[in-house]
Amino acid sequence: MSFAGSARKALDTSLPLGRRVGALRRCLSHYSPVGFEASFSFLTFVAGDFARDPAALPRAVELLTASRTAWQAELRAYGVLRRRAKQLGYRVPHPSAPNPHRPSHWYGAPREAALHAVWFWYSKGDCADVDVHCLARVLLERGRFTDAQRVMFDEVRGGLRERVVATDGTRDLLNWHELRELVTVTGHMAVVIGGA
């Protein structure tokens, strides 16, 4: 079922609450800008506990739909830019150029959702990288980095990206997935500090 169809089911008060919450989760399978579980947790945090409060469910659907609509507008704008670049002879975008086809933040509340995603990851307590764990703790406690911490963050994030590229995901899948998760978390941290 599509995002829109699932959203309609989530708002259908004739359905049992459990099915409506399940429909919201199906919406998240189509669009979860800070990860599936972190997005679900963020919606619960902002809209209320919709698993127990039916009135919170429409707020959650509205928040998610508004973010998705803004993301789709960015996709359309990106399409216009890419067509123009291709007309000028730039067939392939630069590797460092932003590509909105995979959302990197929550549209409408990027910092809040990114900070929540960092908290969600940190609260699981299963971080294998001491530097990322420490940086996440500082960010959650203070909401920002000092200049020295920012330098450390940039070094750690760059090192993780290099390690992902150097890791053979077909032979060391577990390590590759752990590194990708750390890159994602540091991406959320970058949104929080304003350096995505």
Side-chain angles (χ1 to χ4, degrees), residues 143-183:
R144 61 181 176 78
F145 290 143
T146 64
D147 290 342
Q149 290 164 338
R150 176 62 190 255
V151 169
M152 179 183 175
F153 170 75
D154 290 339
E155 289 173 0
V156 167
R157 188 174 187 210
L160 286 170
R161 288 176 171 166
E162 290 173 7
R163 286 169 53 196
V164 166
V165 170
T167 302
D168 183 356
T170 58
R171 294 179 190 208
D172 194 0
L173 193 59
L174 182 61
N175 187 37
W176 186 84
H177 279 291
E178 288 174 358
L179 289 171
R180 287 292 306 151
E181 181 180 37
L182 292 171
V183 168

Side-chain angles (χ1 to χ4, degrees), residues 22-150:
L24 176 64
R25 290 181 78 84
R26 280 192 300 281
C27 288
L28 287 169
S29 71
H30 293 283
Y31 176 74
S32 52
V34 293
F36 184 87
E37 292 297 332
S39 293
F40 190 81
S41 176
F42 180 66
L43 287 171
T44 304
F45 176 74
V46 174
D49 187 1
F50 40 82
R52 291 190 178 88
D53 177 14
L57 196 55
R59 290 191 299 268
V61 172
E62 182 182 341
L63 286 167
L64 186 62
T65 302
S67 178
R68 183 174 178 266
T69 300
W71 171 60
Q72 288 177 322
E74 186 171 316
L75 283 175
R76 286 189 296 277
Y78 178 76
V80 169
L81 289 174
R82 284 299 306 137
R83 281 190 291 282
R84 180 70 183 130
K86 287 179 180 181
Q87 289 170 350
L88 295 173
Y90 301 104
R91 305 301 299 166
V92 178
H94 192 273
S96 65
N99 182 348
H101 282 90
R102 185 165 189 258
S104 61
H105 64 277
W106 191 285
Y107 290 79
R111 187 178 193 282
E112 297 84 356
L115 190 58
H116 187 86
V118 172
W119 168 83
F120 183 81
W121 170 83
Y122 183 83
S123 66
K124 292 191 297 186
D126 60 355
C127 179
D129 191 290
V130 175
D131 292 333
V132 176
H133 183 80
C134 290
L135 287 165
R137 182 175 177 179
V138 167
L139 196 58
L140 291 169
E141 289 176 356
R142 298 189 184 137
R144 61 181 176 78
F145 290 143
T146 64
D147 290 342
Q149 290 164 338
R150 176 62 190 255

